[in-house]
Amino acid sequence: MLPNYNRKFLDTLLFSNVFIACCAVAQGAMTYHLLSLPVNYTVLAILGCATLALYNFSMILARPPHPETSPFRRVRWVFRHERSLWVWTGIALVAVWVLGLHLHKPSFVLLGVMGVMGVAYNLPIVHVSGRQRRAGLRQITGLKLFYIGLVWVMSCVLLPVAEAYHDDLHIVWYQVWQLMAWVFLFVVAITIPFDIRDIYQDRYYGLKTIPVLFGERKALVLSSTLLAVQMGWVWFSNYPLDIRLALFIASVLCLLFILVPPIKKNEYYYFLLLDGTLLLQFVVLLLVGFV
C-alpha cells in the first residue's frame, strides 16, 4: 500500500491528466528524435497543454448522475476537484491559443482540426440508430479505437512534422509514414485493455467497442497482435540497432503489462502503467542512447 501522501500526489498527477499530458509531450519528443529533427519546444508545450485540456474536458463532460458514489476512485476525485479542473483547463486552452499563434498557418489549422476532433469525441452531435438521444462519436460502432489512434498520430507525429516542414527542414517522408503506423498500432493496442475494463458499462450504455462485439479474449488477442506487428516492423526497420532495441524493449514491456499485469487492475494499472508506456518508449530510447 502507498503512504497516504504518496497516494494523494499520485492521484493528483494521474486524475488531473497532467501525467497523460506528459506522455503526449514524450511522444512528440520521440518524433523529433526518430526523424532527426531539431526539437520545437513550442510544439511540445502545445501538445502538453492541448492534451491536458481535452482530457479534462472529456472527463468533466462524462459526469455521471452521482459521481460522489462512483465505484471509481478517479471519478470521485475528478468531481471533488471539478472547479480546479475547469480553471486549469481554461489556462491550458489560453496557452494553446497563445502558443498556436507562433505556428505556421497550416500547422495552426491542423491544431484546430485536432481540437474539433477531440471535442467531438464526447459531445452529443450525431444521431445513433437505436438511441433516443444524440451521442458523441465514441458511440459509433467500431470507430472509437481508430479515432483515438488517429488523434494521437495527428498530434504527436503530424503536428511536429508539419511545423518542421514549413520551417524548411528536411523531412524523410517514408520515415514519417512508418512512425505514424507505429504510433497508431501502439496507441490502439494499449487502448483495448481500457475497453475490456469498461465492457459491462459499455454494454449497459450500448457502446459497441471491440470487447463488447467480440469478447474479452479476442480483444486481448487483437491487442497482442497489434503490438507484435509493431515490434516486428520496428525490429526489421532500417534504424540503428540501439533505436530498434529501445522501441522493441518498450513494446515487450507493454505486452507483458497487458498479458501478465504486475499489479492489481485498478486505476493505477490503467492510468499509470498502461498510459505510462507512452512515456516509457521515450525514456528507454534515451537510456539506450546513453549506454
Side-chain angles (χ1 to χ4, degrees):
M1 295 293 291
L2 287 171
N4 191 50
Y5 58 87
N6 285 341
R7 183 181 290 268
K8 286 183 177 179
F9 171 77
L10 201 55
D11 287 353
T12 300
L13 181 68
L14 298 178
F15 304 155
S16 67
N17 290 310
V18 169
F19 184 69
I20 193 65
C22 292
C23 293
V25 172
Q27 286 288 303
M30 188 175 74
T31 291
Y32 287 115
H33 187 83
L34 292 179
L35 299 181
S36 301
L37 296 171
V39 177
N40 187 321
Y41 292 99
T42 297
V43 171
L44 293 186
I46 289 172
L47 286 178
C49 291
T51 301
L52 179 67
L54 283 175
Y55 271 73
N56 278 344
F57 181 74
S58 296
M59 191 65 196
I60 294 170
L61 195 65
R63 180 189 181 100
H66 301 286
E68 68 280 358
T69 61
S70 172
F72 299 108
R73 184 181 183 90
R74 183 190 187 210
V75 173
R76 297 194 304 271
W77 188 96
V78 165
F79 292 101
R80 280 201 310 268
H81 300 84
E82 184 176 358
R83 183 174 297 179
S84 296
L85 290 182
W86 274 118
V87 171
W88 285 109
T89 299
I91 292 172
L93 287 174
V94 171
V96 169
W97 176 262
V98 173
L99 293 170
L101 295 177
H102 292 84
L103 299 177
H104 295 281
K105 187 175 180 179
S107 302
F108 187 76
V109 171
L110 176 61
L111 179 64
V113 170
M114 293 186 303
V116 171
M117 290 178 66
V119 171
Y121 179 70
N122 282 294
L123 279 182
I125 59 174
V126 295
H127 176 74
V128 180
S129 178
R131 294 174 65 96
Q132 294 181 343
R133 296 184 299 175
R134 290 182 179 273
L137 293 177
R138 67 192 298 266
Q139 271 81 20
I140 298 178
T141 302
L143 182 63
K144 181 180 178 180
L145 290 176
F146 175 82
Y147 200 86
I148 292 175
L150 179 61
V151 170
W152 273 85
V153 166
M154 292 174 67
S155 303
C156 299
V157 181
L158 277 187
L159 183 62
V161 168
E163 191 63 6
Y165 175 79
H166 291 287
D167 281 334
D168 295 324
L169 296 174
H170 177 65
I171 307 293
V172 182
W173 287 106
Y174 84 87
Q175 288 187 336
V176 173
W177 294 111
Q178 179 176 253
L179 181 56
M180 288 171 62
W182 290 355
V183 171
F184 182 85
L185 290 170
F186 193 88
V187 169
V188 171
I190 66 172
T191 301
I192 290 174
F194 284 83
D195 283 346
I196 293 174
R197 177 200 62 177
D198 298 333
I199 186 169
Y200 297 107
Q201 177 180 299
D202 289 341
R203 279 175 178 162
Y204 178 80
Y205 288 109
L207 303 184
K208 303 298 184 181
T209 61
I210 296 296
V212 169
L213 291 172
F214 302 107
E216 179 178 343
R217 185 176 178 180
K218 289 182 179 179
L220 278 176
V221 169
L222 176 59
S223 176
S224 304
T225 301
L226 293 175
L227 275 175
V229 170
Q230 190 254 8
M231 284 188 287
W233 194 343
V234 164
W235 189 253
F236 291 105
S237 69
N238 61 353
Y239 275 103
L241 179 60
D242 59 336
I243 291 179
R244 288 185 287 129
L245 186 61
L247 295 177
F248 188 85
I249 289 172
S251 293
V252 168
L253 289 173
C254 180
L255 185 59
L256 289 175
F257 293 161
I258 291 172
L259 296 180
V260 191
I263 62 174
K264 182 181 178 181
K265 287 187 176 182
N266 54 22
E267 276 100 335
Y268 299 136
Y269 169 75
Y270 291 101
F271 299 108
L272 178 62
L273 208 59
L274 285 187
D275 278 347
T277 56
L278 294 165
L279 179 61
L280 179 68
Q281 281 188 309
F282 184 60
V283 170
V284 175
L285 197 60
L286 292 181
L287 290 176
V288 171
F290 284 123
V291 174

